[in-house]
């Protein structure tokens, strides 16, 4: 079955950087668009970024554009999110999600930005 | 950006009731809309895609309808496990946008 396992979350100071990974299995990763969605504590869902199945294009939400970079390694079935210049408002649970229509979700990895 | 206005933000209902949640898009999104359920402490799961197509394994008491700018999720005969928060997502146009959520609580 489809499995998405996020890792790399943790506590980081404002202005710091973090790299999230999402290891996938159970489906043909190289044929699927992927994305990251986040959820701040006690808040709703916020779309973060999307990458095409072949890595040929990416899209970003306004709040992260220029600071976050999505990438993928189809040989390793793994999705990444490089996060720079982190702010307090980036504190959230980050979910790895398959396809543009968001059909499968991982369990999330928590990023806390705090001094 | 397309705004997704979801209503109500919360509702109280009893087991066995039928409830309806609405999402309104600020511009037309054809049928590129999904509905998601999130139970406390759990990841969201998709219930409906393409506005009205039931996800495999989701009970038939969940149904979706609409196209263009107006969409509804109906839950017939609420079960105890249905008390959760529900979100819509438009995936027609980047940036993708979620509705604000509807918390379905036990009356």
């Amino acid at each position: 079955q489809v499995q998405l396992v996020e890792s790399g979350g943790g506590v980081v100071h404002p202005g710091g950087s973090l790299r999230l990974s999402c290891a996938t299995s159970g489906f043909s990763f190289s044929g699927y668009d992927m994305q990251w969605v986040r959820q701040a504590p006690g808040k709703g869902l916020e779309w973060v970024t999307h990458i095409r199945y072949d890595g040929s294009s990416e899209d970003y939400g306004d709040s992260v554009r220029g600071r976050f970079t999505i990438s993928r390694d189809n040989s390793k079935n793994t999705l990444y999110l490089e996060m720079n210049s982190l702010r307090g408002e980036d504190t959230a649970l980050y979910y790895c999600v398959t396809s543009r229509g968001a059909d499968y979700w991982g369990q999330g990895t928590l990023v806390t930005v705090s001094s | 950006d397309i705004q997704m206005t979801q209503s109500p933000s919360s509702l109280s209902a009893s087991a066995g009731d039928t409830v309806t949640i609405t999402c309104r898009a600020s511009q037309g999104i054809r049928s590129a809309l999904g509905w998601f359920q999130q139970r406390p402490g759990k990841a969201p799961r998709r219930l409906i895609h393409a506005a009205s197509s039931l996800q495999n394994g989701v009970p038939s008491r969940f149904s979706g309808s609409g196209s263009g700018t107006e969409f509804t999720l109906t839950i017939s005969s609420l079960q105890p496990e249905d008390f959760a928060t529900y979100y819509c997502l438009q995936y027609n146009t980047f940036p993708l946008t979620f509705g604000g959520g509807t918390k379905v609580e036990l009356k």
Side-chain angles (χ1 to χ4, degrees), chain B residues 4-42:
Chain B
M4 300 301 296
T5 302
Q6 186 172 340
S7 61
S9 57
S10 66
L11 65 90
S12 296
S14 302
D17 286 351
T18 293
V19 300
T20 299
I21 299 168
T22 298
C23 262
R24 195 167 281 118
S26 60
Q27 55 186 275
I29 58 169
R30 301 178 298 169
S31 295
L33 183 112
W35 289 100
F36 299 81
Q37 177 193 65
Q38 187 176 33
R39 295 176 176 139
K42 299 294 187 182

mmCIF file of all heavy atoms in Angstrom, chain B residues 4-42:
data_model
loop_
_atom_site.group_PDB
_atom_site.id
_atom_site.type_symbol
_atom_site.label_atom_id
_atom_site.label_comp_id
_atom_site.label_asym_id
_atom_site.label_seq_id
_atom_site.Cartn_x
_atom_site.Cartn_y
_atom_site.Cartn_z
ATOM 1 N N MET B 4 -11.379 30.023 -1.118
ATOM 2 C CA MET B 4 -12.373 28.991 -0.851
ATOM 3 C C MET B 4 -13.070 29.322 0.456
ATOM 4 O O MET B 4 -12.444 29.290 1.518
ATOM 5 C CB MET B 4 -11.729 27.606 -0.784
ATOM 6 C CG MET B 4 -11.025 27.186 -2.062
ATOM 7 S SD MET B 4 -12.102 27.150 -3.494
ATOM 8 C CE MET B 4 -13.269 25.863 -3.030
ATOM 9 N N THR B 5 -14.352 29.670 0.374
ATOM 10 C CA THR B 5 -15.116 30.035 1.553
ATOM 11 C C THR B 5 -15.949 28.833 1.978
ATOM 12 O O THR B 5 -16.871 28.421 1.262
ATOM 13 C CB THR B 5 -16.012 31.244 1.266
ATOM 14 O OG1 THR B 5 -15.185 32.334 0.825
ATOM 15 C CG2 THR B 5 -16.775 31.649 2.511
ATOM 16 N N GLN B 6 -15.623 28.293 3.127
ATOM 17 C CA GLN B 6 -16.276 27.072 3.603
ATOM 18 C C GLN B 6 -17.223 27.435 4.733
ATOM 19 O O GLN B 6 -16.882 28.218 5.627
ATOM 20 C CB GLN B 6 -15.213 26.083 4.088
ATOM 21 C CG GLN B 6 -15.753 24.720 4.468
ATOM 22 C CD GLN B 6 -14.654 23.709 4.758
ATOM 23 O OE1 GLN B 6 -13.503 23.877 4.347
ATOM 24 N NE2 GLN B 6 -14.999 22.643 5.455
ATOM 25 N N SER B 7 -18.432 26.848 4.710
ATOM 26 C CA SER B 7 -19.409 27.113 5.758
ATOM 27 C C SER B 7 -20.249 25.882 6.046
ATOM 28 O O SER B 7 -20.456 25.043 5.155
ATOM 29 C CB SER B 7 -20.316 28.277 5.342
ATOM 30 O OG SER B 7 -21.028 27.952 4.158
ATOM 31 N N PRO B 8 -20.709 25.751 7.312
ATOM 32 C CA PRO B 8 -20.354 26.599 8.442
ATOM 33 C C PRO B 8 -18.951 26.264 8.951
ATOM 34 O O PRO B 8 -18.355 25.280 8.510
ATOM 35 C CB PRO B 8 -21.421 26.228 9.476
ATOM 36 C CG PRO B 8 -21.695 24.789 9.201
ATOM 37 C CD PRO B 8 -21.575 24.623 7.703
ATOM 38 N N SER B 9 -18.430 27.047 9.868
ATOM 39 C CA SER B 9 -17.124 26.740 10.444
ATOM 40 C C SER B 9 -17.245 25.629 11.486
ATOM 41 O O SER B 9 -16.266 24.928 11.766
ATOM 42 C CB SER B 9 -16.501 27.986 11.071
ATOM 43 O OG SER B 9 -17.376 28.527 12.043
ATOM 44 N N SER B 10 -18.430 25.482 12.044
ATOM 45 C CA SER B 10 -18.690 24.378 12.961
ATOM 46 C C SER B 10 -20.177 24.080 12.978
ATOM 47 O O SER B 10 -20.994 24.940 12.605
ATOM 48 C CB SER B 10 -18.200 24.698 14.376
ATOM 49 O OG SER B 10 -18.946 25.758 14.929
ATOM 50 N N LEU B 11 -20.508 22.871 13.363
ATOM 51 C CA LEU B 11 -21.903 22.485 13.498
ATOM 52 C C LEU B 11 -22.004 21.380 14.536
ATOM 53 O O LEU B 11 -21.061 20.608 14.749
ATOM 54 C CB LEU B 11 -22.485 22.054 12.152
ATOM 55 C CG LEU B 11 -21.937 20.812 11.478
ATOM 56 C CD1 LEU B 11 -22.698 19.561 11.905
ATOM 57 C CD2 LEU B 11 -22.001 20.957 9.949
ATOM 58 N N SER B 12 -23.157 21.341 15.169
ATOM 59 C CA SER B 12 -23.454 20.284 16.138
ATOM 60 C C SER B 12 -24.538 19.387 15.579
ATOM 61 O O SER B 12 -25.542 19.893 15.050
ATOM 62 C CB SER B 12 -23.927 20.895 17.468
ATOM 63 O OG SER B 12 -22.902 21.654 18.060
ATOM 64 N N ALA B 13 -24.348 18.114 15.688
ATOM 65 C CA ALA B 13 -25.316 17.170 15.141
ATOM 66 C C ALA B 13 -25.320 15.902 15.987
ATOM 67 O O ALA B 13 -24.400 15.669 16.792
ATOM 68 C CB ALA B 13 -24.972 16.844 13.688
ATOM 69 N N SER B 14 -26.345 15.103 15.801
ATOM 70 C CA SER B 14 -26.484 13.831 16.511
ATOM 71 C C SER B 14 -26.195 12.686 15.562
ATOM 72 O O SER B 14 -26.352 12.824 14.336
ATOM 73 C CB SER B 14 -27.888 13.705 17.089
ATOM 74 O OG SER B 14 -28.187 14.777 17.963
ATOM 75 N N ALA B 15 -25.802 11.567 16.130
ATOM 76 C CA ALA B 15 -25.627 10.370 15.316
ATOM 77 C C ALA B 15 -26.936 10.072 14.596
ATOM 78 O O ALA B 15 -28.024 10.185 15.178
ATOM 79 C CB ALA B 15 -25.209 9.199 16.183
ATOM 80 N N GLY B 16 -26.851 9.764 13.313
ATOM 81 C CA GLY B 16 -28.019 9.494 12.503
ATOM 82 C C GLY B 16 -28.490 10.693 11.694
ATOM 83 O O GLY B 16 -29.284 10.529 10.751
ATOM 84 N N ASP B 17 -28.028 11.887 12.057
ATOM 85 C CA ASP B 17 -28.414 13.088 11.307
ATOM 86 C C ASP B 17 -27.741 13.118 9.937
ATOM 87 O O ASP B 17 -26.733 12.429 9.693
ATOM 88 C CB ASP B 17 -27.989 14.356 12.058
ATOM 89 C CG ASP B 17 -28.856 14.639 13.270
ATOM 90 O OD1 ASP B 17 -29.884 13.957 13.446
ATOM 91 O OD2 ASP B 17 -28.502 15.560 14.045
ATOM 92 N N THR B 18 -28.276 13.939 9.058
ATOM 93 C CA THR B 18 -27.644 14.256 7.781
ATOM 94 C C THR B 18 -27.145 15.696 7.847
ATOM 95 O O THR B 18 -27.882 16.587 8.279
ATOM 96 C CB THR B 18 -28.646 14.107 6.627
ATOM 97 O OG1 THR B 18 -28.996 12.715 6.501
ATOM 98 C CG2 THR B 18 -28.036 14.596 5.308
ATOM 99 N N VAL B 19 -25.888 15.908 7.471
ATOM 100 C CA VAL B 19 -25.313 17.249 7.512
ATOM 101 C C VAL B 19 -24.761 17.613 6.131
ATOM 102 O O VAL B 19 -24.352 16.729 5.356
ATOM 103 C CB VAL B 19 -24.201 17.377 8.578
ATOM 104 C CG1 VAL B 19 -24.756 17.079 9.966
ATOM 105 C CG2 VAL B 19 -23.026 16.479 8.267
ATOM 106 N N THR B 20 -24.747 18.923 5.871
ATOM 107 C CA THR B 20 -24.246 19.431 4.598
ATOM 108 C C THR B 20 -23.251 20.551 4.857
ATOM 109 O O THR B 20 -23.516 21.448 5.662
ATOM 110 C CB THR B 20 -25.391 19.956 3.719
ATOM 111 O OG1 THR B 20 -26.289 18.878 3.437
ATOM 112 C CG2 THR B 20 -24.846 20.511 2.403
ATOM 113 N N ILE B 21 -22.116 20.468 4.192
ATOM 114 C CA ILE B 21 -21.064 21.480 4.274
ATOM 115 C C ILE B 21 -20.870 22.062 2.880
ATOM 116 O O ILE B 21 -20.913 21.327 1.876
ATOM 117 C CB ILE B 21 -19.758 20.844 4.778
ATOM 118 C CG1 ILE B 21 -19.963 20.244 6.182
ATOM 119 C CG2 ILE B 21 -18.624 21.857 4.786
ATOM 120 C CD1 ILE B 21 -18.831 19.338 6.647
ATOM 121 N N THR B 22 -20.663 23.363 2.829
ATOM 122 C CA THR B 22 -20.558 24.046 1.544
ATOM 123 C C THR B 22 -19.203 24.712 1.370
ATOM 124 O O THR B 22 -18.651 25.251 2.336
ATOM 125 C CB THR B 22 -21.658 25.113 1.423
ATOM 126 O OG1 THR B 22 -22.930 24.477 1.463
ATOM 127 C CG2 THR B 22 -21.538 25.897 0.129
ATOM 128 N N CYS B 23 -18.678 24.665 0.167
ATOM 129 C CA CYS B 23 -17.489 25.446 -0.201
ATOM 130 C C CYS B 23 -17.818 26.266 -1.434
ATOM 131 O O CYS B 23 -18.370 25.735 -2.420
ATOM 132 C CB CYS B 23 -16.291 24.540 -0.497
ATOM 133 S SG CYS B 23 -15.169 24.385 0.890
ATOM 134 N N ARG B 24 -17.479 27.520 -1.365
ATOM 135 C CA ARG B 24 -17.720 28.436 -2.470
ATOM 136 C C ARG B 24 -16.389 28.971 -2.956
ATOM 137 O O ARG B 24 -15.582 29.474 -2.156
ATOM 138 C CB ARG B 24 -18.633 29.572 -1.998
ATOM 139 C CG ARG B 24 -19.254 30.381 -3.086
ATOM 140 C CD ARG B 24 -20.379 31.266 -2.526
ATOM 141 N NE ARG B 24 -21.618 30.517 -2.307
ATOM 142 C CZ ARG B 24 -22.186 30.352 -1.125
ATOM 143 N NH1 ARG B 24 -21.648 30.851 -0.029
ATOM 144 N NH2 ARG B 24 -23.314 29.680 -1.011
ATOM 145 N N ALA B 25 -16.133 28.854 -4.256
ATOM 146 C CA ALA B 25 -14.881 29.339 -4.842
ATOM 147 C C ALA B 25 -15.067 30.757 -5.381
ATOM 148 O O ALA B 25 -16.133 31.081 -5.928
ATOM 149 C CB ALA B 25 -14.440 28.418 -5.969
ATOM 150 N N SER B 26 -14.031 31.569 -5.252
ATOM 151 C CA SER B 26 -14.119 32.956 -5.696
ATOM 152 C C SER B 26 -14.118 33.080 -7.216
ATOM 153 O O SER B 26 -14.467 34.139 -7.761
ATOM 154 C CB SER B 26 -12.972 33.780 -5.096
ATOM 155 O OG SER B 26 -11.723 33.259 -5.505
ATOM 156 N N GLN B 27 -13.723 32.034 -7.898
ATOM 157 C CA GLN B 27 -13.859 31.952 -9.352
ATOM 158 C C GLN B 27 -14.008 30.488 -9.739
ATOM 159 O O GLN B 27 -13.761 29.596 -8.931
ATOM 160 C CB GLN B 27 -12.675 32.605 -10.068
ATOM 161 C CG GLN B 27 -11.324 32.078 -9.677
ATOM 162 C CD GLN B 27 -10.189 32.873 -10.322
ATOM 163 O OE1 GLN B 27 -9.790 32.608 -11.445
ATOM 164 N NE2 GLN B 27 -9.677 33.858 -9.591
ATOM 165 N N GLY B 28 -14.436 30.264 -10.956
ATOM 166 C CA GLY B 28 -14.743 28.908 -11.380
ATOM 167 C C GLY B 28 -13.547 27.971 -11.337
ATOM 168 O O GLY B 28 -12.446 28.342 -11.759
ATOM 169 N N ILE B 29 -13.774 26.768 -10.807
ATOM 170 C CA ILE B 29 -12.707 25.774 -10.723
ATOM 171 C C ILE B 29 -13.119 24.454 -11.380
ATOM 172 O O ILE B 29 -12.559 23.392 -11.098
ATOM 173 C CB ILE B 29 -12.271 25.517 -9.248
ATOM 174 C CG1 ILE B 29 -13.468 25.049 -8.398
ATOM 175 C CG2 ILE B 29 -11.631 26.764 -8.667
ATOM 176 C CD1 ILE B 29 -13.058 24.534 -7.019
ATOM 177 N N ARG B 30 -14.122 24.535 -12.263
ATOM 178 C CA ARG B 30 -14.655 23.332 -12.932
ATOM 179 C C ARG B 30 -15.062 22.329 -11.850
ATOM 180 O O ARG B 30 -15.840 22.681 -10.956
ATOM 181 C CB ARG B 30 -13.618 22.771 -13.899
ATOM 182 C CG ARG B 30 -13.205 23.786 -14.988
ATOM 183 C CD ARG B 30 -12.156 23.244 -15.908
ATOM 184 N NE ARG B 30 -10.910 22.931 -15.193
ATOM 185 C CZ ARG B 30 -9.910 22.248 -15.707
ATOM 186 N NH1 ARG B 30 -9.989 21.760 -16.935
ATOM 187 N NH2 ARG B 30 -8.804 22.015 -15.000
ATOM 188 N N SER B 31 -14.523 21.119 -11.894
ATOM 189 C CA SER B 31 -14.824 20.125 -10.846
ATOM 190 C C SER B 31 -13.573 19.727 -10.079
ATOM 191 O O SER B 31 -13.516 18.653 -9.472
ATOM 192 C CB SER B 31 -15.465 18.881 -11.472
ATOM 193 O OG SER B 31 -16.714 19.198 -12.033
ATOM 194 N N ALA B 32 -12.576 20.595 -10.076
ATOM 195 C CA ALA B 32 -11.284 20.282 -9.449
ATOM 196 C C ALA B 32 -11.331 20.570 -7.953
ATOM 197 O O ALA B 32 -10.663 21.491 -7.442
ATOM 198 C CB ALA B 32 -10.173 21.061 -10.124
ATOM 199 N N LEU B 33 -12.136 19.788 -7.241
ATOM 200 C CA LEU B 33 -12.324 19.997 -5.816
ATOM 201 C C LEU B 33 -12.317 18.675 -5.081
ATOM 202 O O LEU B 33 -12.924 17.700 -5.530
ATOM 203 C CB LEU B 33 -13.653 20.717 -5.554
ATOM 204 C CG LEU B 33 -13.853 21.015 -4.072
ATOM 205 C CD1 LEU B 33 -13.801 22.503 -3.794
ATOM 206 C CD2 LEU B 33 -15.103 20.382 -3.522
ATOM 207 N N GLY B 34 -11.640 18.669 -3.940
ATOM 208 C CA GLY B 34 -11.629 17.488 -3.082
ATOM 209 C C GLY B 34 -12.139 17.840 -1.702
ATOM 210 O O GLY B 34 -12.080 18.998 -1.270
ATOM 211 N N TRP B 35 -12.657 16.809 -1.025
ATOM 212 C CA TRP B 35 -13.086 16.930 0.363
ATOM 213 C C TRP B 35 -12.249 15.993 1.228
ATOM 214 O O TRP B 35 -11.986 14.851 0.844
ATOM 215 C CB TRP B 35 -14.560 16.570 0.507
ATOM 216 C CG TRP B 35 -15.509 17.576 -0.073
ATOM 217 C CD1 TRP B 35 -16.138 17.516 -1.282
ATOM 218 C CD2 TRP B 35 -15.955 18.788 0.559
ATOM 219 N NE1 TRP B 35 -16.936 18.622 -1.450
ATOM 220 C CE2 TRP B 35 -16.854 19.409 -0.341
ATOM 221 C CE3 TRP B 35 -15.694 19.406 1.779
ATOM 222 C CZ2 TRP B 35 -17.482 20.637 -0.051
ATOM 223 C CZ3 TRP B 35 -16.309 20.612 2.069
ATOM 224 C CH2 TRP B 35 -17.190 21.213 1.173
ATOM 225 N N PHE B 36 -11.879 16.485 2.407
ATOM 226 C CA PHE B 36 -10.975 15.753 3.295
ATOM 227 C C PHE B 36 -11.553 15.720 4.704
ATOM 228 O O PHE B 36 -12.174 16.690 5.157
ATOM 229 C CB PHE B 36 -9.592 16.424 3.324
ATOM 230 C CG PHE B 36 -8.943 16.460 1.975
ATOM 231 C CD1 PHE B 36 -9.289 17.439 1.060
ATOM 232 C CD2 PHE B 36 -8.036 15.492 1.607
ATOM 233 C CE1 PHE B 36 -8.729 17.466 -0.207
ATOM 234 C CE2 PHE B 36 -7.462 15.506 0.349
ATOM 235 C CZ PHE B 36 -7.818 16.488 -0.554
ATOM 236 N N GLN B 37 -11.313 14.610 5.374
ATOM 237 C CA GLN B 37 -11.689 14.442 6.768
ATOM 238 C C GLN B 37 -10.417 14.391 7.607
ATOM 239 O O GLN B 37 -9.467 13.702 7.226
ATOM 240 C CB GLN B 37 -12.466 13.137 6.950
ATOM 241 C CG GLN B 37 -12.847 12.825 8.388
ATOM 242 C CD GLN B 37 -13.322 11.379 8.532
ATOM 243 O OE1 GLN B 37 -12.564 10.424 8.338
ATOM 244 N NE2 GLN B 37 -14.598 11.209 8.840
ATOM 245 N N GLN B 38 -10.421 15.104 8.723
ATOM 246 C CA GLN B 38 -9.285 15.017 9.635
ATOM 247 C C GLN B 38 -9.791 14.773 11.062
ATOM 248 O O GLN B 38 -10.494 15.614 11.630
ATOM 249 C CB GLN B 38 -8.431 16.281 9.607
ATOM 250 C CG GLN B 38 -7.149 16.137 10.437
ATOM 251 C CD GLN B 38 -6.232 17.345 10.357
ATOM 252 O OE1 GLN B 38 -6.674 18.483 10.237
ATOM 253 N NE2 GLN B 38 -4.921 17.094 10.426
ATOM 254 N N ARG B 39 -9.442 13.621 11.590
ATOM 255 C CA ARG B 39 -9.753 13.315 12.985
ATOM 256 C C ARG B 39 -8.636 13.855 13.868
ATOM 257 O O ARG B 39 -7.502 14.016 13.401
ATOM 258 C CB ARG B 39 -9.910 11.799 13.158
ATOM 259 C CG ARG B 39 -11.093 11.231 12.401
ATOM 260 C CD ARG B 39 -11.161 9.729 12.502
ATOM 261 N NE ARG B 39 -12.353 9.197 11.853
ATOM 262 C CZ ARG B 39 -12.354 8.103 11.109
ATOM 263 N NH1 ARG B 39 -11.237 7.425 10.910
ATOM 264 N NH2 ARG B 39 -13.481 7.672 10.566
ATOM 265 N N PRO B 40 -8.933 14.135 15.134
ATOM 266 C CA PRO B 40 -7.921 14.721 16.031
ATOM 267 C C PRO B 40 -6.651 13.884 16.082
ATOM 268 O O PRO B 40 -6.704 12.663 16.259
ATOM 269 C CB PRO B 40 -8.636 14.742 17.386
ATOM 270 C CG PRO B 40 -10.086 14.827 17.038
ATOM 271 C CD PRO B 40 -10.246 14.010 15.793
ATOM 272 N N GLY B 41 -5.516 14.557 15.884
ATOM 273 C CA GLY B 41 -4.224 13.892 15.966
ATOM 274 C C GLY B 41 -3.867 13.035 14.773
ATOM 275 O O GLY B 41 -2.841 12.343 14.788
ATOM 276 N N LYS B 42 -4.683 13.073 13.738
ATOM 277 C CA LYS B 42 -4.453 12.242 12.555
ATOM 278 C C LYS B 42 -4.230 13.097 11.318
ATOM 279 O O LYS B 42 -4.610 14.265 11.285
ATOM 280 C CB LYS B 42 -5.659 11.313 12.310
ATOM 281 C CG LYS B 42 -5.937 10.354 13.448
ATOM 282 C CD LYS B 42 -4.811 9.356 13.617
ATOM 283 C CE LYS B 42 -5.162 8.295 14.652
ATOM 284 N NZ LYS B 42 -4.032 7.344 14.864
#
